[in-house]
Amino acid sequence: MPGITNLPTDLLRTFIAVVELGGHSRAGAFLGRSQPAISLQIRRLEELVRVPLLAQEGRSIQPTPAGEALLSYAREMIRINDEAVGYFHRSDKTGVLRIGLPTDYAVAFLQSAITAFVQAHAEVELEIHCDLSRQLHQDLRADELDVIIAMMSNARMPYLSRAWIEQPIWAAAEGFHDTPKRPVPLGAHPEGCDYRARMIQALDSIERRWRIVYTGPGISGLQNAVLNGLCVSALTKATMLPGMRVLDNTDGFPALEPLRVGLFYKHPRLSAAGLQLVSDLVARLDSVGAGINPFPG
């Protein structure tokens, strides 16, 4: 159609590689092209979109604001392209795939998608690592994980594919009775957990005393501590269990600040199996729908 500008996938793939791998030389080595060839492709892409996409900051190359906007679209376009090619070529999906999930709700939120993937691709060895979100981000940057679900400290973060809002809720045993004159007994994950920080922030805002009575890295231990009436904690709807009830303002517990959560991966580093899992997770998120922002920002 006259007047329509097409963005070639090879140019978009090069742009993603330059940003995510940290420069023209690394992108060229990964894609099997010379540095001048990579630079030429970036210039061609900038001509098509009519704005500068990259800027030199010290010794590193960073995307411009326009580059950040294009990166979100480029990652989605390349993901869909590779998903389509994989469907028709029936690419072999083998190898080890390392997934990072936050301790806060571990496998519960996306368990069905991951379980379905394992059943459909028995030849793929899946490793699931549960940790605090900040550690998962570090592991992804260090290429120690392939795909992560993690809390976001900023609206825009590297390697982001999908973002959505998670609303933590106060959880207590059905028989729990609060005593306003006593400090609130809190159960939490170790220092650095976003849910822990939000509980403390909420109680401090109403000048309510609190004390940590249970600390543990796993979600099951925290759930048991709540069920046994030892403490109250911040959970999600996915991790609420029978025998628990929600505490709110009528109980003297102010609403907790929502959390932004994201799906992250380095596209150039991802195998065919990884790309398939990302597509499965994206489909799962899109089916849930609420609060999901496909393009960050």
Side-chain angles (χ1 to χ4, degrees), residues 47-118:
E47 291 171 358
L48 289 172
V49 297
R50 301 176 184 176
V51 290
L53 297 173
L54 299 172
Q56 190 81 33
E57 293 186 9
R59 301 180 63 180
S60 66
I61 292 179
Q62 299 294 330
T64 63
E68 288 184 353
L70 179 62
L71 185 62
S72 296
Y73 289 107
R75 285 168 57 84
E76 187 70 0
M77 292 165 70
I78 294 300
R79 183 189 67 79
I80 293 173
N81 175 87
D82 293 350
E83 180 181 355
V85 171
Y87 175 82
F88 288 105
H89 287 189
R90 299 295 194 271
S91 301
D92 290 335
K93 298 178 177 64
T94 60
V96 177
L97 193 55
R98 303 162 301 174
I99 313 301
L101 296 170
T103 302
D104 305 80
Y105 52 87
V107 183
F109 184 73
L110 294 169
Q111 186 173 20
S112 59
I114 293 176
T115 301
F117 179 85
V118 171

Side-chain angles (χ1 to χ4, degrees), residues 31-202:
L31 296 172
R33 300 191 182 99
S34 66
Q35 183 172 340
I38 296 295
S39 298
L40 185 63
Q41 286 190 305
I42 295 298
R43 285 200 298 271
R44 175 58 182 148
L45 185 58
E46 288 178 330
E47 291 171 358
L48 289 172
V49 297
R50 301 176 184 176
V51 290
L53 297 173
L54 299 172
Q56 190 81 33
E57 293 186 9
R59 301 180 63 180
S60 66
I61 292 179
Q62 299 294 330
T64 63
E68 288 184 353
L70 179 62
L71 185 62
S72 296
Y73 289 107
R75 285 168 57 84
E76 187 70 0
M77 292 165 70
I78 294 300
R79 183 189 67 79
I80 293 173
N81 175 87
D82 293 350
E83 180 181 355
V85 171
Y87 175 82
F88 288 105
H89 287 189
R90 299 295 194 271
S91 301
D92 290 335
K93 298 178 177 64
T94 60
V96 177
L97 193 55
R98 303 162 301 174
I99 313 301
L101 296 170
T103 302
D104 305 80
Y105 52 87
V107 183
F109 184 73
L110 294 169
Q111 186 173 20
S112 59
I114 293 176
T115 301
F117 179 85
V118 171
Q119 293 172 345
H121 305 285
E123 66 280 11
V124 178
E125 297 180 28
L126 206 64
E127 295 180 0
I128 297 179
H129 302 259
C130 294
D131 210 327
L132 296 176
S133 290
R134 63 183 181 185
Q135 184 60 50
L136 297 178
H137 284 292
Q138 292 177 13
D139 292 343
L140 180 65
R141 288 194 297 270
D143 293 327
E144 295 175 2
L145 290 174
D146 302 307
V147 179
I148 68 170
I149 307 291
M151 308 300 170
M152 300 172 58
S153 56
N154 301 299
R156 288 186 178 275
M157 297 185 70
Y159 321 123
L160 176 64
S161 174
R162 282 290 195 278
W164 65 97
I165 299 300
E166 186 75 30
Q167 179 60 59
I169 51 182
W170 289 104
E174 288 181 348
F176 174 80
H177 295 290
D178 184 33
T179 305
K181 293 182 179 180
R182 298 179 60 187
V184 177
L186 293 181
H189 296 304
E191 189 69 38
C193 170
D194 295 279
Y195 284 28
R196 178 185 181 125
R198 274 158 171 72
M199 287 191 293
I200 293 172
Q201 177 187 20

Side-chain angles (χ1 to χ4, degrees), residues 222-289:
L222 185 59
Q223 289 171 320
N224 285 329
V226 172
L227 278 174
N228 291 328
L230 176 65
C231 60
V232 300
S233 189
L235 298 178
T236 64
K237 289 182 179 179
T239 51
M240 290 286 288
L241 297 178
M244 293 182 183
R245 67 185 179 95
V246 176
L247 301 176
D248 56 26
N249 277 311
T250 61
D251 302 293
F253 287 81
L256 296 163
E257 286 292 318
L259 292 158
R260 185 183 289 264
V261 189
L263 168 64
F264 301 83
Y265 66 95
K266 290 183 180 179
H267 193 282
R269 298 290 193 195
L270 215 51
S271 64
L275 291 170
Q276 182 60 58
L277 177 59
V278 166
S279 291
D280 290 354
L281 294 178
V282 167
R284 164 67 172 159
L285 292 171
D286 287 346
S287 70
V288 174

